Amino acid sequence: MPDTTPHGLDGLAFGGDYNPEQWPESVWQEDVRLMREAGVNLVSVGIFSWAMLEPEPGRYEFGWLDRVLDLLHEHGIRVDLGTPTVAPPAWFYRAHPEALPVSREGTRYAFGSRGAICHSSPAYREAAATITELLARRYADHPALAMWHVHNEYGVPVSACYCENCAAHFRRWLAATHGSVEAVNAAWGTAFWGQRYASFEEIEPPRATPTVCNPAQRLDYARFADATMRENFVRERDLLHRHAPGAPVTTNFMTALSQCDSVDYWAWGREVDLVTNDHYLITDGRRTHVNLAMAADLTRSVAGGAPWLLLEHSTSGVNWQPRNPAKAPGQMARNSLGHVARGSEGALFFQWRQSRRGAEKFHSAMLPHAGTESRVWREVVGLGAALDNLATVRGTRTVADAAMVWDWQSWWAQRLEWRPSEDHDARERADTFYETLYDRHLTIDFAHPEADLSAYPLVVVPALYLATEATGENLRRYVENGGTLVVSYFSGIVDEHDAVHPGAHPGPLRDVLGLTVEEFSPLGEGERVRLTGPDGAELTGDVWTEFVVPQGAETVWTYADGLAAERPAVTRHRLGEGTAWYISTRLDAGALDTVLAAASEDARLAPRAELPRDVEVVRRGGEHGEYLFAINHSDTDAKVALPAHGTELLTGERAAGRLGVPAGAVRVVRLDA
């Protein structure tokens, strides 16, 4: 079996993407010297180098890569070696223009970017397998090899292609998935609008249509596109396993809901040897450190709770958003250590040396244009030393307090056209629920809807439009056995084929919630409703209301106005040993906190009121000890209560009682046994 950790690393990984082919060979010696000065011990190499490795069909030039790997090994730097299959050469597309993807509207994309790939193209599949096998044979035993890195950021910028190759592949996928065309007709509900198919040959991809396309067909095509990319990954992975057994194989995910929305990472997490992730701050006015924590928690959850690796983030600003601010002094380390707190086995960046040419020349790097006299470089060197001090954290696991149910396929289905309100956004609900739990200082695991939830006292479901019967049974069993569940509106509506569950909403969640929903009543733009609750307290909702009919649930909050006036707005259902809460309108973070506070009491989750806002405390533990990470994102010094005496690893000082955490700083305490 292949390993699940990079070979040759004794502590946490530190480094980034290294692209020596962009620079004269005379620069390489300076690169490795500065890498050692910064404490770099792992770099990703070769990800975009296909045209350099195979400049003409069948003519290979591996000499430059030999010299790079030898040089890195000589200086004690391990290599995450990429298969360059995200960027086929120009000669390949000239010979195989059909390998360029086609948009839903019928436009064939051109060469000149990255990731312009039809994953159903036989020519692409064979060429990718060939270059991967050659790399595996040549470098399987290279002493610098730590791990393999297949492709790059699957799903970005293109996941689905709509060409004729994909049409034929889609038909084969449907036959394998559904078994017969009659089963496809049943799953897609093709009796509606007379869309029935008599044979697989009549089925096309869901290309642009005059009005809304069959939503079940769209959902299956999203699954097909994701599965097709995964097929190509698995083929490359298996070649690497065959020729280079032992070394772990990964591909870099983009789990943040703000970054990639076309990949089912639950399925992908089962295929990689080591889960890795890329994360970039989205400067859209939100608290970026909350999005970072959420992405790290989600990545750890995709890894099944096991340690994972941050393979890319930025030292400072990026270059692909409308506005790209620099990171504040100290923010680079704070971001990096935030990922480590939540399970990453290190921190790597894109990229090592800032590019002078190309689309990302204004994207920050470890070695910026300003060179070693810059603030960024000094902070890079400081971060390398900090990660070295945290070497013993390696192998420990992050401890979670509660769980959030999330499903990418449900998200895909909910976003299709002609839903009751375009203002309801699954990502917004997930972000708001997470932010509310974050501000309650809870560390969150994410869970698939059918996963075992028994370890969590509190489970929240912010948006689960698509819910199977098995999901309903899983959540019912969780509550009956003593769990506390909180479900938000428009959940449990359809099955895996986007068909509304028989009977009243919310389908398989009726029993666990102890209610039915007679009708949705979305609100107009800017419209709000008042809710009244215990002791006359008031909350405000927007976007959505429902006509809720309790079937065993008690009403906790009631609509005070709107079409649903005097009907239940928030309910609580005692079932077995646990309770299930239902929220039928959109609450902002403050109002949602009121409900989650009550649910937390049911779950016996003690409040952590002593912690200031934007000070996060996360614990990792295992055979190598127990560690407490305290990260202060605020501009005010803070105090954090310690559960035991310990040693603060970044300063070397003993710590007891209340730990001082300066504004913008991080402290990591190894607790005494």
Side-chain angles (χ1 to χ4, degrees):
M1 291 290 293
D3 291 338
T4 58
T5 57
H7 289 182
L9 297 184
D10 297 324
L12 300 179
F14 181 54
D17 282 39
Y18 182 39
N19 299 290
E21 63 270 29
Q22 296 181 16
W23 301 91
E25 198 160 338
S26 57
V27 175
W28 300 355
Q29 289 287 345
E30 180 186 34
D31 282 333
V32 294
R33 177 180 62 80
L34 292 175
M35 285 178 189
R36 296 311 302 150
E37 181 179 326
V40 168
N41 59 11
L42 180 67
V43 293
S44 300
V45 175
I47 296 169
F48 296 101
S49 63
W50 195 341
M52 298 290 292
L53 294 169
E54 190 178 5
E56 296 175 4
R59 182 170 70 83
Y60 300 100
E61 294 187 358
F62 291 108
W64 69 271
L65 186 55
D66 293 345
R67 295 191 296 277
V68 168
L69 297 190
D70 290 346
L71 182 63
L72 291 167
H73 174 63
E74 180 185 341
H75 288 78
I77 301 165
R78 309 293 291 186
V79 171
D80 168 35
L81 186 55
T83 68
T85 51
V86 70
W91 59 257
F92 171 80
Y93 287 119
R94 186 176 183 186
H96 301 286
E98 76 284 357
L100 288 163
V102 174
S103 72
R104 192 171 175 233
E105 293 71 28
T107 300
R108 188 176 292 279
Y109 294 108
F111 174 77
S113 180
R114 65 165 187 165
I117 295 165
C118 167
H119 283 274
S120 294
S121 164
Y124 169 76
R125 289 183 167 212
E126 288 308 309
T130 297
I131 190 67
T132 296
E133 186 164 19
L134 287 169
L135 285 165
R137 288 179 180 274
R138 188 176 188 94
Y139 298 112
D141 296 320
H142 197 286
L145 180 67
M147 57 190 286
W148 293 98
H149 179 140
V150 171
H151 203 267
N152 184 72
E153 295 178 346
Y154 280 98
V156 179
V158 178
S159 58
C161 170
Y162 296 83
C163 72
E164 288 305 317
N165 275 330
C166 288
H169 193 185
F170 184 44
R171 295 178 196 115
R172 295 191 297 272
W173 183 87
L174 289 171
T177 301
H178 294 280
S180 68
V181 72
E182 290 79 10
V184 173
N185 282 318
W188 290 3
T190 56
F192 186 80
W193 281 358
Q195 296 173 358
R196 183 180 180 278
Y197 297 101
S199 69
F200 283 112
E201 286 65 35
E202 294 177 355
I203 300 176
E204 298 288 341
R207 300 184 177 109
T209 50
T211 186
V212 174
C213 185
N214 186 320
Q217 181 184 9
R218 292 281 305 278
L219 179 57
D220 256 358
Y221 204 75
R223 291 170 172 144
F224 157 74
D226 180 55
T228 302
M229 293 188 294
R230 201 159 57 250
E231 285 176 14
N232 287 349
F233 166 77
V234 167
R235 184 174 185 183
E236 291 190 45
R237 180 204 66 192
D238 289 351
L239 285 168
L240 294 168
H241 281 170
R242 185 179 312 135
H243 296 291
V249 179
T250 191
T251 184
N252 44 339
F253 296 167
M254 299 190 75
T255 62
L257 306 186
S258 54
Q259 292 179 203
C260 184
D261 58 7
S262 60
V263 174
D264 181 355
Y265 285 115
W266 294 126
W268 283 78
R270 294 189 292 268
E271 301 295 347
V272 297
D273 300 324
L274 167 68
V275 167
T276 62
N277 195 51
D278 297 352
H279 181 263
Y280 293 98
L281 302 183
I282 304 299
T283 52
D284 58 359
R286 308 185 196 202
R287 296 155 72 200
T288 57
H289 56 278
V290 179
N291 176 274
L292 183 155
M294 183 176 179
D297 283 347
L298 189 48
T299 307
R300 181 186 68 254
S301 303
V302 167
W308 54 279
L309 181 59
L310 176 66
L311 212 51
E312 286 186 27
H313 70 314
S314 66
T315 56
S316 192
V318 297
N319 73 317
W320 37 265
Q321 300 181 88
R323 288 159 290 280
N324 298 286
K327 289 185 177 180
Q331 188 178 358
M332 178 204 306
R334 201 161 61 246
N335 290 167
S336 301
L337 297 179
H339 285 288
V340 173
R342 295 175 187 272
S344 177
E345 297 283 67
L348 281 76
F349 296 90
F350 181 85
Q351 57 181 324
W352 162 251
R353 183 183 284 269
Q354 195 167 14
S355 299
R356 290 186 56 227
R357 297 175 175 83
E360 294 183 290
K361 56 183 169 288
F362 298 119
H363 189 298
S364 61
M366 300 176 77
L367 182 59
H369 294 310
T372 57
E373 298 302 315
S374 63
R375 172 182 70 89
V376 165
W377 173 254
R378 289 190 292 273
E379 292 195 21
V380 163
V381 173
L383 176 59
L387 290 171
D388 187 56
N389 289 341
L390 301 181
T392 57
V393 169
R394 186 170 183 250
T396 58
R397 293 191 173 210
T398 300
V399 179
D401 301 299
M404 179 182 293
V405 169
W406 178 255
D407 184 35
W408 278 275
Q409 294 194 23
S410 175
W411 190 21
W412 300 344
Q414 185 186 308
R415 293 186 309 171
L416 296 172
E417 301 94 338
W418 287 10
R419 300 322 189 205
S421 174
E422 66 178 15
D423 295 326
H424 174 44
D425 177 0
R427 180 198 156 191
E428 182 279 328
R429 282 293 79 190
D431 284 347
T432 300
F433 266 76
Y434 184 89
E435 183 173 7
T436 305
L437 294 168
Y438 177 95
D439 283 340
R440 297 188 69 77
H441 302 286
L442 300 176
T443 301
I444 303 302
D445 277 348
F446 286 78
H448 185 274
E450 297 177 16
D452 180 9
L453 303 171
S454 60
Y456 306 104
L458 175 67
V459 171
V460 301
V461 182
L464 194 63
Y465 164 76
L466 185 159
T468 63
E469 292 293 339
T471 292
E473 172 62 21
N474 189 45
L475 296 179
R476 182 190 61 78
R477 186 169 55 249
Y478 165 73
V479 173
E480 284 183 334
N481 290 333
T484 300
L485 179 71
V486 181
V487 177
S488 188
Y489 63 91
F490 205 45
S491 294
I493 308 304
V494 300
D495 66 13
E496 60 269 32
H497 303 302
D498 198 48
V500 173
H501 286 285
H505 304 308
L509 305 186
R510 289 190 296 256
D511 290 346
V512 67
L513 296 175
L515 55 80
T516 60
V517 174
E518 287 186 351
E519 189 176 0
F520 308 132
S521 183
L523 301 178
E525 185 176 2
E527 188 178 356
R528 297 179 180 276
V529 291
R530 291 183 300 111
L531 283 63
T532 57
D535 300 322
E538 289 196 357
L539 301 176
T540 301
D542 65 2
V543 171
W544 193 274
T545 62
E546 294 176 342
F547 297 163
V548 174
V549 179
Q551 304 284 351
E554 61 180 293
T555 300
V556 183
W557 293 81
T558 303
Y559 288 111
D561 52 23
L563 288 181
E566 300 184 4
R567 291 177 176 264
V570 178
T571 62
R572 177 177 180 268
H573 184 218
R574 293 182 176 89
L575 183 65
E577 300 298 317
T579 57
W581 292 73
Y582 185 63
I583 305 170
S584 66
T585 186
R586 191 176 82 164
L587 302 177
D588 65 18
L592 182 59
D593 181 66
T594 300
V595 178
L596 291 182
S600 294
E601 288 185 13
D602 284 348
R604 297 180 178 85
L605 272 177
R608 296 173 178 169
E610 79 282 356
L611 287 175
R613 191 171 192 256
D614 291 327
V615 176
E616 58 183 272
V617 174
V618 182
R619 293 181 67 167
R620 288 183 64 159
E623 293 181 6
H624 301 294
E626 300 291 324
Y627 299 84
L628 183 145
F629 286 74
I631 306 173
N632 188 352
H633 298 282
S634 77
D635 56 6
T636 304
D637 294 350
K639 295 282 189 181
V640 171
L642 294 176
H645 291 53
T647 301
E648 203 291 303
L649 298 181
L650 301 180
T651 62
E653 298 174 354
R654 289 292 293 168
R658 293 175 62 81
L659 173 72
V661 187
V666 180
R667 293 292 181 262
V668 183
V669 177
R670 180 171 183 169
L671 301 171
D672 293 343

